[in-house]
Amino acid sequence: MTDGWDGKPPGGIDHVVVVSHRPMPEGWDREAPFHFVDGVEAAMAKAQELAGDRMVEVAAGDVGGQVLAAGLIDEVRMDVVPVVFGSGKRYFGSVHAQHLLEDPDVVIQGNRVLHLRYRVRR
């Protein structure tokens, strides 16, 4: 199942922590650097253990929203591109509470993209 990337995460990532309520799939290559855990707190603990003193990145979507809601995110990075979709998924899934971000501390204008970085207000 991991042969799509030769058993390695895409983009030069060392490890991927997968939040799932299901066990590791049958026949999964146990040498592949994918780690299965049963919740966002366990995912962050495993990711921090694997990262050591390096940065841990969390994808947006439902899991990203759960990690934000649990107070485990220090900053949010967004890339804005000139595309308007008629429908889609929320950036942080179904977040049920308000989470405030500071003013952006990094704003980089690229070629048809705007890179933004916000600290999470505590």
Side-chain angles (χ1 to χ4, degrees):
M1 294 179 75
T2 61
D3 288 342
W5 299 311
D6 293 327
K8 298 180 185 92
I13 298 170
D14 294 339
H15 297 274
V16 173
V17 179
V18 179
V19 178
S20 177
H21 299 295
R22 298 182 202 149
M24 183 183 298
E26 290 282 328
W28 190 269
D29 180 359
R30 294 195 179 275
E31 297 299 314
F34 294 82
H35 310 273
F36 292 82
V37 296
D38 188 27
V40 295
E41 289 84 1
M44 287 302 290
K46 183 65 176 179
Q48 288 170 333
E49 171 193 327
L50 292 165
D53 62 352
R54 297 177 298 157
M55 183 185 305
V56 171
E57 295 184 10
V58 177
D62 287 329
V63 170
Q66 291 173 41
V67 176
L68 178 66
L72 302 172
I73 296 291
D74 295 323
E75 69 180 30
V76 172
R77 295 180 181 199
M78 294 183 196
D79 301 312
V80 181
V81 297
V83 176
V84 177
F85 296 108
S87 64
K89 294 188 175 194
R90 295 178 181 180
Y91 194 74
F92 289 109
S94 299
V95 175
H96 300 290
Q98 179 175 311
H99 299 276
L100 298 176
L101 305 176
E102 300 292 340
D103 289 338
D105 61 339
V106 173
V107 178
I108 300 171
Q109 176 68 52
N111 183 13
R112 298 185 49 79
V113 62
L114 182 64
H115 305 284
L116 303 167
R117 186 174 74 194
Y118 299 90
R119 302 284 305 160
V120 174
R121 187 178 294 176
R122 302 262 186 243

